[in-house]
Amino acid sequence: QVQLVESGGGSVQAGGSLRLSCAGSGYTASNYCMGWFRQAPGKEREAVAIIWTGGGPTYYGDSVKGRFTISRDNAKNTLYLQMNFTEADDTAVYYCVAHPRVVEYCPPIPGAFDYWGQGTQVTVSS
């Protein structure tokens, strides 16, 4: 059973930076789709950034391209989301996600991921 624990959320002024971390455990598959989703009040969950641990291109949502960067530290089993040039619209609960995948196929939709963290709040003030 994969367990994901996010940290690093908080408040930041618009234009500032924040780094989210996701500590994972219980991995048994060779490869996973891993990433970050977010949900703002009154809105649907949306994919922010997704990677396949076997390599290949990274998915970024249109609203965060050029501002956010996803990365992994395999030795620490930790996933990161570096958030730069933050905007008020980035305010949301951010969730770390994972799903075992043999091949590189990681649809950016919530239903494609079985494992979710508890979420961490990010608030960007303008």
Side-chain angles (χ1 to χ4, degrees):
Q1 182 81 358
V2 173
Q3 293 188 330
L4 306 170
V5 179
E6 302 98 336
S7 61
S11 297
V12 62
Q13 287 194 329
S17 297
L18 206 60
R19 189 176 78 158
L20 306 183
S21 299
C22 172
S25 62
Y27 297 118
T28 57
S30 297
N31 286 297
Y32 288 80
C33 293
M34 300 190 68
W36 296 89
F37 278 72
R38 69 184 182 185
Q39 186 167 23
K43 295 186 177 181
E44 295 184 352
R45 287 188 183 184
E46 64 171 345
V48 176
I50 298 170
I51 59 172
W52 183 58
T53 59
T58 300
Y59 169 89
Y60 288 101
D62 288 341
S63 60
V64 307
K65 284 180 181 176
R67 301 188 298 119
F68 291 8
T69 303
I70 187 172
S71 62
R72 290 188 305 138
D73 185 329
N74 292 334
K76 296 181 179 179
N77 277 340
T78 301
L79 188 72
Y80 300 100
L81 183 69
Q82 179 67 43
M83 305 169 60
N84 296 330
F85 306 106
T86 53
E87 303 169 353
D89 286 346
D90 294 326
T91 296
V93 177
Y94 284 71
Y95 298 91
C96 178
V97 298
H99 187 89
R101 285 286 184 183
V102 175
V103 297
E104 182 193 354
Y105 177 64
C106 304
I109 56 175
F113 294 85
D114 279 351
Y115 301 107
W116 291 72
Q118 81 286 355
T120 186
Q121 176 70 45
V122 171
T123 302
V124 182
S125 57
S126 56

